[in-house]
């Protein structure tokens, strides 16, 4: 019904930038919330940023000023611009969509930041 596919991950040096994309397809309602989560090995999955279909944004403190979440509602695509990357940003990044009572996750994309 709903599929989320992340892309844009990769290997980057500390201080570099990456832009992640999440393409949503299927039965997408116009009112929804999309978010980026990340999970490093041995760690709990944590919220990175989220954005509503109306444009309301929340960031976790550790990425404020460095990451920018955005979305193209017409294309049902979510983005995460990551600048000034640090080794501690290394994780699998997951896209999440919530609409009504349903929750969907993408497969994740690996981001590795070398020191």
């Amino acid at each position: 019904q709903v599929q989320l596919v992340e892309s844009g991950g990769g290997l980057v040096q500390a201080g570099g930038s990456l832009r992640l994309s999440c393409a949503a397809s299927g039965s997408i309602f116009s009112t929804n919330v999309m978010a980026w989560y990340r999970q490093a090995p041995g760690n709990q999955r944590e919220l990175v940023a989220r954005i509503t279909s109306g444009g309301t944004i929340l960031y976790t403190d550790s990425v404020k000023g460095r990451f920018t979440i955005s979305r193209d509602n017409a294309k049902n695509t979510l983005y995460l611009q990551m600048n000034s990357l640090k080794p501690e940003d290394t994780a699998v990044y997951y896209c999440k969509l919530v609409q009504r009572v349903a929750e969907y996750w993408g497969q994740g994309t690996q981001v590795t930041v070398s020191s």
Side-chain angles (χ1 to χ4, degrees), residues 20-70:
L20 306 183
S21 299
C22 172
S25 61
S27 299
I28 310 299
F29 289 82
S30 58
T31 300
N32 59 65
V33 178
M34 298 187 76
W36 289 101
Y37 286 73
R38 66 186 180 188
Q39 187 167 27
N43 287 21
Q44 194 172 33
R45 189 171 299 186
E46 66 170 346
L47 175 68
V48 177
R50 63 179 173 222
I51 183 169
T52 70
S53 48
T56 301
I57 292 170
L58 179 147
Y59 296 100
T60 192
D61 286 344
S62 63
V63 308
K64 286 181 180 176
R66 300 189 298 120
F67 291 10
T68 302
I69 190 170
S70 62

Side-chain angles (χ1 to χ4, degrees), residues 15 55 82 95 102 106:
M82 305 186 294
C95 177

Side-chain angles (χ1 to χ4, degrees), residues 6-114:
E6 301 98 331
S7 62
L11 176 64
V12 66
Q13 288 186 306
S17 298
L18 285 172
R19 190 177 82 150
L20 306 183
S21 299
C22 172
S25 61
S27 299
I28 310 299
F29 289 82
S30 58
T31 300
N32 59 65
V33 178
M34 298 187 76
W36 289 101
Y37 286 73
R38 66 186 180 188
Q39 187 167 27
N43 287 21
Q44 194 172 33
R45 189 171 299 186
E46 66 170 346
L47 175 68
V48 177
R50 63 179 173 222
I51 183 169
T52 70
S53 48
T56 301
I57 292 170
L58 179 147
Y59 296 100
T60 192
D61 286 344
S62 63
V63 308
K64 286 181 180 176
R66 300 189 298 120
F67 291 10
T68 302
I69 190 170
S70 62
R71 60 188 291 166
D72 185 333
N73 290 339
K75 296 182 177 181
N76 290 320
T77 301
L78 177 72
Y79 303 97
L80 186 67
Q81 179 67 48
M82 305 186 294
N83 299 325
S84 301
L85 282 162
K86 307 174 185 294
E88 49 263 46
D89 295 318
T90 295
V92 177
Y93 284 70
Y94 296 91
C95 177
K96 178 185 177 182
L97 181 150
V98 178
Q99 60 182 14
R100 296 179 64 83
V101 298
E103 179 179 297
Y104 305 92
W105 291 90
Q107 83 289 347
T109 186
Q110 177 71 49
V111 172
T112 302
V113 184
S114 62

